[in-house]
Amino acid sequence: MATAAMGRPGSKGDLPILLAPVTALLVLVFFVPLSFVLFYSVYDNGLTAKAFVSLAKSTLFLRVLGTSFDIALSATAVSLLLGYPIALHLARQPPRRRALLMILVLLPFWTSILVKSFAFYIILGNQGIINQALRWVFGEAAAVKLLFNRVGVIVGMSHYLIPFVVFPALASLLAQNPDLRRAAQIMGAGPVRIFLRITLPLSMPGVIAGGLMSMVISLGVFVTPTLLGGKADMMMANLIDFYTRDTLDWNTAAAIAVILLALSGILIAMLSWVRRDDGVA
Amino acid sequence: MAMVRLEQVSKRYGSVAALSAVDLSVDKGEFVTLLGPSGSGKTTLLNLIAGMVAASSGKVFIRDRDVTDVPPSQRDLGMVFQNYALMPHMTVFENIAFPLRVRKMPSAEVRAKVEDVLRLVQLPDVAQRKPRELSGGQQQRISIARCLVYNPSLILMDEPLGALDRKLRDQMQLEIKRLHGQLGITVLYVTHDQEEAMVLSDRICLMNQGRIEQLGKPAELYFHPATPFVATFLGESNLLDVTLVTAEPAAVVRGPGGCAIRSEKQVSMAVDASLRMLVRPEHLRPLAQSESACNEVSGIVSNVIFIGGITCYFVQLPDGTVITSRRLTEGAGPPAAIGSPIRLGWSAANTVLFPAGT
């Protein structure tokens, strides 16, 4: 389809030329380094699978793997709970207003994740806005620890993930025939029943797609747990960083990267499976 | 008893009047069609009864209950949509059971009712299928079954056959007519297809520019149209400008070329007033040399078109106007050659007169 749209004269012949620059770039900055990673994961003075074997036995790795999934799942759940109502609201706006509000949803992307993480210090820190307010209202003992622990990580990650959840859910909601809701209304159904029996089930492909996307992104997160999390919130990317820079054990670091890649690959495969099924709704 | 009654209902969108002061009443067991071109307000009227849009003024009654401010879910209505509006994630059974579950019916009763209604629409074996596994016609039967199953006061149908091909549409028309006759349901049906309206309706409510142009039995609208709009919207028509010669007891007018044309009705207008005259093409009969008719015009055959069972003659009158005559085709070959003179005749009963400028 893309070729047909690209231009009538000699359309097919143009394609390799047009795609050459981006292909070259991807080979250079993506394919080559990735090949090195794959190679290092099975090479340490000769071909070996020892990194994978020792990782399978490593309590540190297994605990980090568990923590990664734990954080990714919690952050995804929080993002879905907060993002779905946004999508629902957006779906019910007239198109112009919706376009405007969608820009607001995307607004967090205008700032780097690093800056945003430091901004959370001001909000969540011991002397942050929330704790100052709590102290002012309830006294000194009311302060809660919101930073350098799981709470900080989940808040920071959800903030980043919500747009990734909102848009697929919104797409699923907008794809619904509005006559379905009208039909249900005329048949006597109230708003709660219409939501639970029609709107929600029909938006599930979008919710699942958004959830899987959010899982893929969460598993590879590095900055947020580093800046907002505590010692117990180490994730896969942080462990890779630890092996690469602190112990210089590139073999193990590469092996973890390969495992992370495989996990993301599985999630993305599930995502495309959900997308293909999407046509049903 | 009137199942639905509208009193002076209007709907404006900004400065545009979608409906102006409409009165309409549909009796129990009646099949009424809202017919009209797009933008005539028929869908607005339907949505107003359904409660999907609020009236700007006027009142809506269902079973003599004022429902003007009642939400759609509390109006005891059924609706059939053009796109079927079946829930894609539910089986046919769940779709039809939906309104019964809303009404908290025990599940044994639900099962029995769904089975009954599926037999009624002649699809007894599809209960466990998903809507997308059915053809368009079958899906529309299911959507009708979903209305029939809970026996609402009134069933609204919004161009339900618009998405089907011609042959299927003809079948479904007869199917809907059968269900209406068999069950005595009250139906308000929207369509822009005049033939469909004729086939189905007890009464047709012909709408134009947000008003009811004429409301009556199909034959009334066809033979006694109130305005030239009704005449041209329903069936084929020849409209001619004429002047009044005699007003009473039966009007006589002067037609193109000065010929006198008789009608059977009197006209309450002054002599020499301008009028418009309707005569249906099927009432115009080519006359043989020896024949004569109550009303006659003569002209030249300008074209002959053969459409299977019917042949159309286009006849140019001396003043240039072209009128059409439709005759049943008899035998092979046209009896009148193009360019030959022809006389067309019709009876006074088939002359319909309107004031000019309508």
Side-chain angles (χ1 to χ4, degrees), chain A residues 240-253:
Chain A
I240 295 170
D241 179 58
F242 170 74
Y243 278 113
T244 320
R245 293 196 306 170
D246 294 358
T247 68
L248 298 179
D249 182 355
W250 283 30
N251 180 222
T252 306

Side-chain angles (χ1 to χ4, degrees), chain A residues 59-259:
Chain A
T59 30
L60 173 66
F61 173 72
L62 293 177
R63 218 179 63 214
V64 170
L65 186 66
T67 309
S68 297
F69 265 96
D70 196 3
I71 291 177
L73 281 170
S74 321
T76 298
V78 170
S79 306
L80 283 172
L81 284 175
L82 295 176
Y84 192 84
I86 299 174
L88 204 58
H89 180 71
L90 287 176
R92 291 177 180 178
Q93 302 305 311
R96 281 187 68 118
R97 196 176 152 76
R98 186 190 306 135
L100 204 75
L101 292 174
M102 274 157 80
I103 295 173
L104 293 184
V105 172
L106 288 170
L107 211 58
F109 285 139
W110 293 9
T111 328
S112 100
I113 191 161
L114 203 63
V115 174
K116 283 186 291 184
S117 296
F118 283 118
F120 276 121
Y121 285 10
I122 300 168
I123 300 168
L124 302 177
N126 192 33
Q127 294 302 318
I129 296 165
I130 293 176
N131 275 323
Q132 279 188 10
L134 286 174
R135 281 198 194 92
W136 189 69
V137 179
F138 299 107
E140 200 57 36
V144 285
K145 191 168 162 54
L146 298 171
L147 211 54
F148 310 124
N149 61 5
R150 191 60 58 86
V151 177
V153 179
I154 302 294
V155 169
M157 283 177 58
S158 310
H159 180 253
Y160 179 71
L161 291 171
I162 281 174
F164 292 100
V165 169
V166 168
F167 284 96
L170 178 62
S172 257
L173 288 167
L174 288 178
Q176 291 178 21
N177 175 1
D179 279 345
L180 297 180
R181 284 197 297 279
R182 300 173 61 201
Q185 243 180 316
I186 289 174
M187 287 187 278
V192 175
R193 184 188 292 265
I194 292 174
F195 177 75
L196 292 177
R197 294 284 287 134
I198 296 161
T199 311
L200 185 63
L202 283 176
S203 67
M204 277 326 272
V207 170
I208 293 171
L212 286 171
M213 189 117 84
S214 149
M215 283 296 290
V216 171
I217 296 165
S218 305
L219 282 177
V221 154
F222 173 74
V223 174
T224 313
T226 310
L227 296 179
L228 302 178
K231 284 270 178 288
D233 302 311
M234 191 181 233
M235 293 182 72
M236 301 268 273
N238 307 104
L239 193 63
I240 295 170
D241 179 58
F242 170 74
Y243 278 113
T244 320
R245 293 196 306 170
D246 294 358
T247 68
L248 298 179
D249 182 355
W250 283 30
N251 180 222
T252 306
I256 300 171
V258 169
I259 292 168

Side-chain angles (χ1 to χ4, degrees), chain B residues 146-158:
Chain B
R146 187 175 63 172
C147 280
L148 298 177
V149 79
Y150 63 102
N151 195 26
S153 301
L154 174 72
I155 296 180
L156 306 169
M157 298 196 182
D158 189 4

Side-chain angles (χ1 to χ4, degrees), chain B residues 20 28-29 36 38 65 67 97 127 129 158-159 170 192 194 213 287 338 345 354:
Chain B
S20 359
K28 187 172 165 52
S38 50
R65 178 171 70 116
V67 297
R129 295 212 220 146
D158 189 4
E159 309 222 13
D170 292 348
H192 60 263
Q194 43 135 331
E213 195 85 13
L287 300 173
I338 293 174
F354 310 107

